[in-house]
Amino acid sequence: MNHVKLVKPQMELREPYLDFYHEWKESGEDMVPRVIGIDPDDFSGMLKILSDREQGIGLPDGHVPDSTFWLLHDHGRVLGAVNIRHDLTEFLFHAGGHIGYGIRPSERRKGYAAKLLELSLVEAEKLGIHHVLVVCDYNNIGSEQTILKHGGNQVADYIEDDGNVIKRFWIHNKKTMF
């Protein structure tokens, strides 16, 4: 897995990102993390939105600053995306967590989600987030296994209004001393 890295969204990756985005859209699956649902037709506008969000500029009510990264293969293919929320609102504490991540449909079950979460924990540590909340839907066994692999300690589930059960895990970054 040394052939992948996290990168900030950038204009030079427009075509690989559009390929990633369109594959996901065509799959009909929910866009995860939600930030990849931003329409990239105005690519420079999308990049500005992501940059502004990271700096806390123009955030909608109830939102916190967040950092978005793309998981990039050495060959230039965007494999996945992660959104790291710098803080937790009540909603994020229950159902969103600090880190939301996803791997494009054609690249799943290859170990990329584990690498993406590993690299994301490093970025969270850089942001001063030492105790990281990561969540997944109850039936998302693959995500649950990935979280557990990285030291996730399960806490009380959260049940959304529609009955969907969210599993919640705290990960204590390895660099943090207690």
Side-chain angles (χ1 to χ4, degrees), residues 42-53:
D42 175 6
F43 199 77
S44 61
M46 180 194 74
L47 293 177
K48 177 155 179 29
I49 289 169
L50 295 176
S51 175
D52 285 353
R53 288 175 62 146

Side-chain angles (χ1 to χ4, degrees), residues 10-23 43 70-73 75-80 104:
Q10 53 196 271
M11 186 57 76
E12 295 77 14
L13 295 174
R14 181 180 184 278
E15 293 309 315
Y17 182 78
L18 290 176
D19 183 60
F20 163 84
Y21 175 84
H22 290 297
E23 177 184 323
F43 199 77
W70 297 336
L71 184 66
L72 186 69
H73 191 281
H75 296 121
R77 183 170 167 90
V78 175
L79 303 172
R104 70 189 300 161

